[in-house]
Amino acid sequence: MRTVELLLDETAELAVLEAWRRLADAGLPSQARHRSPTNRPHLTLAACPELTAPIRWELAEVAASLPLPAQFTGVVRFERPTSVLAWALDRDAALAALHRRVWEAVASDSPAQALSPFHEPGRWSPHITLGRTRRAGAFADRRVPELLPSPPLTAALVTLRSYDTEAGTVEVLRPGT
């Protein structure tokens, strides 16, 4: 699979890394424990089996629209098959429109059954993951958010990239590529 992700500006990324460190220091699941050199705070927009030429064409257009301002709205927890602790982002009109463009690009040239319903416009919850585990309820303790620094009020989404889950590599998606 290939993800399509947005990276944060340096100030926002440092705040997320600090949150990762605090969770790890407290012995909680944290993205800081993932030692891959490709592991960075990011906002996942979609995932698809491959980045075909038509998809790449559309994603280059999306990359040309960056940077995009974003606002953090606070801590959020998800219980999917995994427990996730994250900082939510406001799904304002600009971010929703950018996400829809990415979704339409990957959906236009991918088998429908290969796409995650969690990334569908209307269902997608923009967030930056702080910690994830298969242990249900791992972040249910009401004191967990107190361990975290406050998220930055605003951020800039500055770089579009794709992570190849099979090869373990990332590719920056640039305008005109």
Side-chain angles (χ1 to χ4, degrees):
M1 289 296 280
R2 297 288 299 259
T3 63
V4 181
E5 307 168 347
L6 288 169
L7 299 180
L8 301 166
D9 66 80
E10 183 179 0
T11 301
E13 181 169 306
L14 289 173
V16 174
L17 293 173
E18 174 63 15
W20 288 5
R21 185 193 62 76
R22 289 188 188 189
L23 288 171
D25 288 352
L28 291 166
S30 169
Q31 294 304 99
R33 298 187 195 285
H34 296 278
R35 300 291 182 202
S36 168
T38 63
N39 184 38
R40 288 182 67 183
H42 64 274
L43 171 61
T44 302
L45 300 167
C48 58
E50 66 177 302
L51 296 183
T52 63
I55 293 172
R56 285 177 178 281
W57 177 268
E58 294 298 324
L59 294 180
E61 298 263 328
V62 171
S65 69
L66 298 176
L68 181 73
Q71 291 188 320
F72 285 91
T73 60
V75 175
V76 65
R77 294 181 185 101
F78 300 105
E79 293 290 335
R80 292 179 177 162
T82 59
S83 293
V84 175
L85 181 72
W87 278 339
L89 291 169
D90 181 23
R91 186 175 48 190
D92 63 16
L95 182 56
L98 183 140
H99 173 256
R100 181 170 291 284
R101 289 174 65 196
V102 169
W103 174 262
E104 289 173 355
V106 300
S108 72
D109 205 30
S110 298
Q113 67 274 16
L115 301 175
S116 170
F118 292 120
H119 295 142
E120 288 179 19
R123 284 194 70 188
W124 177 68
S125 296
H127 65 278
I128 308 295
T129 299
L130 304 176
R132 168 192 335 242
T133 182
R134 289 197 169 110
R135 190 168 31 102
F139 301 109
D141 187 328
R142 294 177 200 260
R143 294 171 294 174
V144 170
E146 295 171 11
L147 297 169
L148 301 173
S150 295
L153 295 177
T154 61
L157 303 169
V158 296
T159 304
L160 189 67
R161 78 172 190 174
S162 177
Y163 175 66
D164 184 327
T165 61
E166 292 177 23
T169 58
V170 295
E171 173 187 358
V172 173
L173 303 169
R174 302 187 196 295
T177 58

